[in-house]
Amino acid sequence: MNLSSYTLNADLHTHTTASDGALSPSELIALAIENGTQMLAITDHDTVAGYQTVRRMAKQRGLNLISGVEVSTTWNGMGIHVIGLNFDTEHAVIADLLAKQTDARQQRAQTILHKLKKVGLPISLNEVQESASHSHIGRPHIARVMVTKGYVKTMDRAFKKYLGAGKIGDVKSGWVDLSEAVAAIRAGGGVAVVAHPNHYKMTRTKLMRLLDEFIAAGGQGIEVISGKQPQDVTEKFAQIAIEKGLYASLGSDFHRYFPHMATVGRLMSLPEKVTPIWVALSP
Ligand code: AMP
Ligand code: MN
Ligand code: MN
Ligand code: MN
């Protein structure tokens, strides 16, 4: 690997208002350029709508914007996020996958609202849809309505008490299987990456099994850097990437500006010993 490929400033995991991010796609592009990003992927949850609105504009402004998506999947009853990069967003297999996920999101929102109603916190689907405006419905939109209605003080409380892992609103059913998402991304000509591996509370043995099955399904990458993280975490996932023969990806997982969190295009560098994902992302 030559040095220049290591100094590429890439951010391959970001969100916009098309899912649960605060910036519009064009605002995100502007911030990415301002921060010196050379390669960017917009990876909204289960939608490519944001990417599609700015791909031409990004090119005109000299930014290498590649297609992206963050797919919510199920693996062994657990929720695992898979990043798809550099695929044909118009491919029928991708369109099918995302249409299925949109349905799953709608269904899940209704299930969550039903559960909240049962514990005395009624919210209508309409209220959530308004909160989401034209974007894909996610738990953050439900959390925001809960704050507006005075059910909880902050969105963080909404997640801690009702919507987060293990709480009543943590409804995972309906997502595609991990292997199906990976296969669709591959069929669309893209590269599949395991998102934020450090977020999953699983043993090393289980993580290895996940990665083996991910690879068997056609998966090729893992996020070695996800947002701001301690150096030992980077080191751990760099080792795992090498051990499993996976490309190393990196992304801020930017949703909105927070002083203590990673912003677009301002990430640590990948360790030199890994093979960076962009070698697999030829235009
Ligand atoms: P969903 O895509 O509907 O499953 O919602 C998951 C999203 O909720 C994640 O992508 C995060 O952006 C967001 N999220 C997770 N935990 C919290 C939290 N404590 N406060 C606010 N947003 C959160
Ligand atoms: Mn999110
Ligand atoms: Mn995620
Ligand atoms: Mn994300």
Side-chain angles (χ1 to χ4, degrees):
M1 197 51 44
N2 64 42
L3 195 64
S4 63
S5 57
Y6 278 103
T7 53
L8 180 67
N9 183 2
D11 189 340
L12 305 176
H13 187 156
T14 64
H15 295 272
T16 74
T17 46
S19 66
D20 56 357
L23 302 188
S24 69
S26 55
E27 287 167 338
L28 185 81
I29 296 291
L31 182 58
I33 291 171
E34 195 184 310
N35 287 350
T37 316
Q38 291 167 297
M39 181 186 269
L40 179 77
I42 292 175
T43 55
D44 279 309
H45 298 286
D46 302 304
T47 177
V48 291
Y51 161 77
Q52 285 174 329
T53 62
V54 288
R55 60 179 152 189
R56 219 167 278 132
M57 182 266 260
K59 192 166 260 171
Q60 280 162 4
R61 299 193 56 180
L63 175 68
N64 186 4
L65 178 72
I66 62 168
S67 62
V69 69
E70 180 173 16
V71 185
S72 304
T73 79
T74 305
W75 178 76
N76 273 346
M78 292 183 64
I80 304 293
H81 287 180
V82 173
I83 297 287
L85 296 173
N86 208 29
F87 52 90
D88 171 9
T89 57
E90 270 95 32
H91 196 289
V93 176
I94 297 288
D96 279 358
L97 172 80
L98 300 183
K100 254 192 188 164
Q101 292 288 92
T102 304
D103 283 353
R105 279 192 175 272
Q106 286 284 339
Q107 295 271 337
R108 182 185 65 152
Q110 277 170 341
T111 310
I112 294 173
L113 297 186
H114 189 72
K115 291 190 174 208
L116 289 176
K117 193 173 170 192
K118 273 192 170 161
V119 296
L121 304 169
I123 295 171
S124 70
L125 188 61
N126 215 16
E127 286 172 303
V128 179
Q129 258 152 356
E130 259 171 40
S131 157
S133 90
H134 27 252
S135 59
H136 263 45
I137 292 179
R139 282 176 288 170
H141 305 116
I142 298 175
R144 200 185 307 152
V145 178
M146 293 178 83
V147 174
T148 312
K149 297 190 83 157
Y151 294 164
V152 284
K153 282 234 162 63
T154 62
M155 283 179 59
D156 202 45
R157 288 298 298 159
F159 270 89
K160 286 216 169 84
K161 277 188 86 172
Y162 301 106
L163 303 171
K167 305 298 171 191
I168 56 163
D170 180 27
V171 179
K172 292 190 191 78
S173 56
W175 302 136
V176 291
D177 280 339
L178 176 93
S179 56
E180 188 184 339
V182 172
I185 292 162
R186 285 303 295 269
V191 174
V193 176
V194 173
H196 43 62
N198 204 38
H199 288 201
Y200 313 119
K201 307 269 178 287
M202 58 173 86
T203 60
R204 193 183 171 91
T205 313
K206 199 155 189 194
L207 177 65
M208 292 300 141
R209 229 175 63 219
L210 163 69
L211 294 179
D212 288 340
E213 288 183 31
F214 173 75
I215 292 164
Q220 294 171 291
I222 184 169
E223 284 185 346
V224 166
I225 295 172
S226 173
K228 264 190 194 160
Q229 66 186 25
Q231 195 58 42
D232 62 323
V233 173
T234 306
E235 189 54 33
K236 174 182 167 180
F237 289 104
Q239 285 297 348
I240 290 173
I242 291 166
E243 200 179 311
K244 293 288 176 193
L246 290 163
Y247 294 115
S249 191
L250 74 171
S252 56
D253 203 358
F254 179 81
H255 284 73
R256 66 198 65 238
Y257 178 73
F258 274 125
H260 58 284
M261 286 175 87
T263 189
V264 184
R266 291 276 171 86
L267 295 161
M268 302 181 300
S269 305
L270 286 170
E272 291 207 2
K273 59 190 172 192
V274 301
T275 306
I277 188 94
W278 52 80
V279 307
L281 301 174
S282 47

